[in-house]
């Protein structure tokens, strides 16, 4: 009989959000009169910015006419969008990124998950803990790890993010080849300073390593001293790939548009030790396995860079950040140490007890759903993540209920 990819059997049995859904489902069927407020899953709640909706409508009308209809577009994305990204997200911040170094896609989840394909299977991985689970699981599926022993996969160098280091891991003493970094961070909401990112770029140069920099939450940064892109760091073009998404910036979680930057100067060695451009490999992968984001969606994404779009995106992210501030202030008043929420839509709360126990407590006593930190890794134990993605009314109601339940 045909055999399965055994690496899949190394994956931990249940997915975090499926576990949460099961517990919430059990609670709601036992307590139909108690409505639950979800501050767990990191999905946005506000509609698309009007500039994006207008562009979507106009592009849909173009698709209805023979003269303006579009079939397959360029796999890497239309030039109109790549040019706008290069100018607004990079040139305007002093970063040298060419439009043809940008690969438009239908999501950062796929890009963060697929990128590992262009690297050898026996490379050394460094992955933060706690972490967005996609980085770990896709490497497990690809066979880059051993078994999961006591909550950690053999063969991964875990970068502990704890209260002791302000939830920003320091560079390790051991060498690694591929390093995953995410700032502003999911789940902790922590941001990395310029000096911290400089240390990572320097480490990668010394070790001839590559940084995979996930900045899906870049548009939430308000502190002017915090870099928005890894390419703001001198030399990062030679060591880093960056992932960006319109999901949390402009409410595109259901519309789907993101992009990955692979600078042409970024190299990795072939079996004979000769440097090969990763840009060519990713281009090959992307054009072989992906057929482009739909024209109306790329038009909607381009509208993010109009004057109206920029103002609306700022309004949207300001709205979630105001929710985040309320959550952080309220949890701090209740005596918990918190990070995040100031430059990120997540608040990471040190609850100093089992994270699933705290999850159950909030669900049963306050009917509020948070995310137990243990689901993001061993170092997430003792913490929960509360997300700012909800209406103001629900956030305020949830915070009142939490305060009454914990007092
Ligand atoms: N990267 C991080 C850190 C995320 O938290 C998420 C979504 O929650 C993604 C990537 C995925 O974004 P997308 O909607 O573009 O797939």
């Amino acid at each position: 009989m045909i055999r399965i990819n055994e690496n899949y059997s190394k994956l931990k049995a249940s997915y975090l959000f499926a576990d949460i859904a099961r517990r919430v489902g059990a609670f709601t069927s036992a307590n139909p009169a108690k409505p639950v407020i979800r501050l767990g899953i990191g999905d946005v709640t506000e509609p698309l910015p009007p500039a994006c909706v207008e562009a979507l409508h106009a592009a849909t009308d173009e698709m209805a006419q023979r003269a303006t209809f579009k079939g397959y577009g360029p796999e890497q994305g239309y030039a109109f969008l790549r040019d706008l990204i290069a100018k607004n997200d990079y040139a305007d911040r002093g970063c040298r990124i060419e439009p043809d170094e940008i690969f438009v896609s239908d999501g950062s989840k796929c890009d963060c998950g697929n990128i590992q394909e262009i690297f050898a299977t026996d490379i050394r991985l460094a992955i933060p803990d706690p972490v967005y689970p996609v980085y770990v699981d896709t490497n497990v599926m690809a066979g880059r790890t051993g078994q999961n022993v006591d909550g950690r996969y053999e063969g991964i160098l875990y970068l502990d993010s704890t209260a002791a280091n302000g939830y920003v891991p320091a560079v390790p003493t051991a060498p690694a080849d591929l390093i995953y970094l995410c700032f502003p961070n999911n789940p902790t909401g922590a941001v990395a300073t310029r000096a911290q990112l400089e240390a990572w770029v320097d480490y990668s140069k010394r070790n001839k390593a590559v940084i995979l920099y996930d900045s899906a939450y870049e548009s939430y940064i308000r502190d002017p001293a915090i870099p928005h892109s890894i390419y703001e760091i001198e030399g990062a073009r030679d060591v880093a790939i960056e992932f960006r998404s319109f999901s949390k910036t402009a409410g595109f979680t259901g519309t789907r548009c993101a992009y990955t930057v692979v600078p042409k100067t970024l190299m990795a060695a072939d079996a004979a030790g000769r440097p090969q451009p990763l840009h060519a490999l990713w281009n090959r992968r992307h054009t072989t396995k992906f057929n482009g984001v739909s024209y109306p969606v790329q038009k909607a994404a381009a509208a993010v860079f109009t004057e109206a779009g920029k103002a609306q995106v700022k309004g949207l992210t300001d709205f979630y950040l105001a929710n985040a501030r309320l959550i952080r202030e309220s949890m701090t008043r209740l005596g918990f140490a918190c990070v995040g929420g100031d430059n990120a839509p997540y608040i990471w709360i040190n609850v100093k007890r089992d994270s699933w126990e705290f999850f159950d407590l909030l669900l049963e006593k306050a009917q509020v759903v948070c995310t137990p930190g243990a689901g993001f890794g061993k170092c997430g134990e003792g913490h929960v993540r509360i997300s700012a993605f909800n209406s103001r009314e629900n956030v305020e109601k949830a915070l009142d209920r939490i305060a009454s339940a914990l007092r």
Side-chain angles (χ1 to χ4, degrees), residues 242-301:
E242 181 162 286
F243 305 95
R244 288 265 184 109
S245 172
F246 293 92
S247 282
K248 308 301 161 72
T249 301
F252 273 53
T253 54
T255 306
R256 313 303 301 145
C257 197
Y259 64 86
T260 291
V261 180
V262 187
K264 289 189 191 147
T265 46
L266 179 60
M267 303 287 164
D270 66 13
R274 290 176 304 232
Q276 301 292 339
L278 288 172
H279 182 277
L281 262 70
W282 185 245
N283 191 52
R284 188 74 169 90
R285 193 264 165 218
H286 195 74
T287 53
T288 301
K289 296 195 177 182
F290 186 64
N291 238 347
V293 175
S294 77
Y295 174 73
V297 167
Q298 290 193 60
K299 278 299 217 184

Side-chain angles (χ1 to χ4, degrees), residues 303-319:
V304 164
F305 300 108
T306 60
E307 283 315 305
K310 284 180 193 173
Q312 289 159 11
V313 160
K314 171 81 171 32
L316 198 57
T317 48
D318 276 349
F319 169 76

Side-chain angles (χ1 to χ4, degrees), residues 69 257 395:
F69 168 79
C257 197
V395 166

Side-chain angles (χ1 to χ4, degrees), residues 184-199:
N185 189 264
N186 176 15
T188 68
V191 285
T193 62
R194 179 171 293 275
Q196 286 166 327
L197 293 180
E198 280 168 355

Side-chain angles (χ1 to χ4, degrees), residues 107-109 132 135 182 186 214 216-217 245 247-248 256 258:
S108 279
K109 186 182 202 175
Y132 178 53
Y135 314 151
C182 172
N186 176 15
D214 184 346
Y217 298 94
S245 172
S247 282
K248 308 301 161 72
R256 313 303 301 145

Side-chain angles (χ1 to χ4, degrees), residues 168-172 179 181 193-207 211 230 233-234 239:
V168 178
V171 297
I179 303 135
L181 295 178
T193 62
R194 179 171 293 275
Q196 286 166 327
L197 293 180
E198 280 168 355
W200 276 110
V201 169
D202 180 57
Y203 170 92
S204 301
K205 282 193 166 161
R206 276 188 281 115
N207 289 286
I211 296 171
I230 190 75
I233 308 302
E234 181 75 37
V239 295

